[in-house]
Amino acid sequence: MYTTNASRGLPRHRSRYPAERYTRWALRGLVAALVLALLWLVLAFHLNGQPIFAVLFLVLGAALGVVFTRRTLMSHRYIFPAVASMALFVIFPLLYTVGISFSNYSSSNLLSEERVRAQLLSRTYQEESATFGFQLYSSDEGVRLYLEREGAPPTTGEAEAELEEALEGVSRFVTGPLSLQDGERRHVAIQPAEGEPVGEPLPMREVIAYRTALQNLVLATPEGLELRMAGLRHYAPMLDRYEVRADGSLYDRRDDLLLTADGETGFFVTEEGERITPGWPVAVGLDNYARIFLDPDIRGPFIQIFVWTFAFAGLTVLFTLIVGFVLASLLQWDQLRGKALYRTLLILPYAVPAFISILIFKGMFNQHFGEINLILDALFGVRPDWFTDPWLARSMLLIVNTWLGYPYMLLLCMGLIQSIPRDLYEASAVDGGGPLTNLFQITLPLIIKPLTPLLIACFAFNFNNFVLIALLTGGNPDILGASTPAGTTDLLVSYTYRIAFQDAGQNFGLAAAIATLIFLLVAGLALLNLRLAKVRV
């Protein structure tokens, strides 16, 4: 007779198998550890001034805790890792990029306003109008440094008054015994000198020998004023360059300028409108998108690269399809022997990593020592400038990409051709049809429809073929007159990369705007692909 947990007086929810309980508690412990790790990331990003990333991990942690603790959401636990990965690595970067495209985020507008203000307030300058001449004296205890004030600045400004207050009328200082060895910067305390120095000063050649060590010395007076080397025989006081005014503006004590924060440009600016770097990111609306189409120095290169990107992707698909289809048709020839060997040899370029093939072709197309130019020179007496002539460089890209892409088309066409019933070709032979008739009346009409979505996918891949451009030409030769790094062989994706990471200004906002346009184009191709494949979206 069977008994239940209830009849034995045991709680019904408790499992009869201890292993299941241990597994359940282990899972709960793992979820708790992951939630705590995510909360630690939230705190770390918040403390480092990254609220967007803090919110992201807070949402992930909350979702993880809810999904794995509520029984009603048990079915969602299996797809949660995939959804979380999609949100973390696809959706969030996409939204972040779109957000950057509406800002002036760049290498000059990189920090927050608080960090920019703190950086400016930490700057110092040498007050060279109040210098201290110095001499080195050797003694049994070591080398001593004697300083004597040579000049005094006028006492009309705040900085000069602060300097006089820090010196308190003292004009001579001396250090303790020093060990002048080259190394890192060191802080050395100095005291007012009493009486004349003992001994003879070291000659100039020995002072020059200690020059590196003297440059690494930071001399601090008892009142906290710092002196640093300003010449071969001089030290000068270091003063704070900026000070905060009551209205939040900054006063430049060295140049007697007043700096105010400009919320539209993200810079502290002078009364004449001069910008002080660094700045901070601010929203600029559609300015980056407007620059793409309205700025002639950007519009011209962008349109040229845009047209070449479509031409490159389209011609690559066309050439690889032609080569792959012709080879696949030949491999279906009944009288051809050794088909297995030919298939293996023709698919080999697909098995070799692309970056290896690209680098090999780069050496073969070398204008001076490449095998291709050596053969052309021997046969026709010409040495094409593959990397400096725009049209030859584009032709080289198409040749190399056709070599890299035809095996994929070969495999597709072989599979589709083999799926065509042989009865159709036999019926065509009875009607007197030849190879061309079979090609245009049977083979192409039957394979083009299932092949179309794959051709669109190949077009979208080559639309963003960054590796080929980066390794073979680097986008060169450059487009003359462009205000941003732009080359005649650049695709939109490589053009965006160069603006973001190779331009001196690193204009991330403009690069993000172009990346957003690329996403919209590729997304449109993907939707078209799904429609052609009859997938309901």
Side-chain angles (χ1 to χ4, degrees), residues 186-360:
R186 293 184 298 157
H187 285 72
V188 176
I190 58 177
Q191 301 293 332
E194 298 180 358
E196 297 293 331
V198 179
E200 294 293 331
L202 297 181
M204 178 59 69
R205 64 176 180 274
E206 296 189 29
V207 174
I208 295 176
Y210 292 131
R211 180 176 181 177
T212 302
L214 293 172
Q215 289 176 339
N216 289 329
L217 292 181
V218 179
L219 308 179
T221 67
E223 289 74 19
L225 182 66
E226 292 184 353
L227 306 178
R228 295 184 186 178
M229 196 172 184
L232 195 56
R233 280 293 194 183
H234 303 282
Y235 274 80
M238 300 299 299
L239 302 177
D240 294 332
R241 180 171 178 178
Y242 297 99
E243 67 176 19
V244 183
R245 292 296 173 87
D247 57 355
S249 61
L250 301 181
Y251 174 66
D252 187 349
R253 302 194 298 178
R254 188 190 71 176
D255 298 333
D256 191 24
L257 297 173
L258 186 64
L259 310 180
T260 56
D262 187 351
E264 295 184 359
T265 61
F267 288 98
F268 280 98
V269 296
T270 64
E271 296 178 354
E272 290 76 17
E274 180 183 358
R275 298 177 179 180
I276 306 299
T277 56
W280 60 91
V282 295
V284 296
L286 298 175
D287 287 357
N288 289 319
Y289 295 93
R291 288 183 62 192
I292 296 175
F293 300 104
L294 300 180
D295 188 343
D297 294 334
I298 297 179
R299 182 182 63 236
F302 175 80
I303 293 177
Q304 183 175 339
I305 293 172
F306 181 83
V307 173
W308 160 240
T309 301
F310 270 90
F312 170 79
L315 291 175
T316 295
V317 172
L318 177 62
F319 293 158
T320 54
L321 176 61
I322 292 174
V323 175
F325 178 76
V326 171
L327 293 177
S329 300
L330 292 175
L331 289 175
Q332 303 304 315
W333 190 22
D334 295 334
Q335 286 75 21
L336 182 65
R337 296 183 179 181
K339 294 181 181 179
L341 176 62
Y342 288 126
R343 289 195 192 101
T344 303
L345 293 176
L346 291 174
I347 296 174
L348 275 180
Y350 197 55
V352 178
F355 77 93
I356 294 179
S357 299
I358 294 171
L359 294 177
I360 292 174

Side-chain angles (χ1 to χ4, degrees), residues 62-71 73-74 76-78 80:
L64 178 66
V66 171
V67 170
F68 282 86
T69 55
R70 296 181 64 89
R71 292 181 177 273
L73 300 176
M74 182 177 296
H76 297 277
R77 298 177 183 177
Y78 302 99
F80 180 81

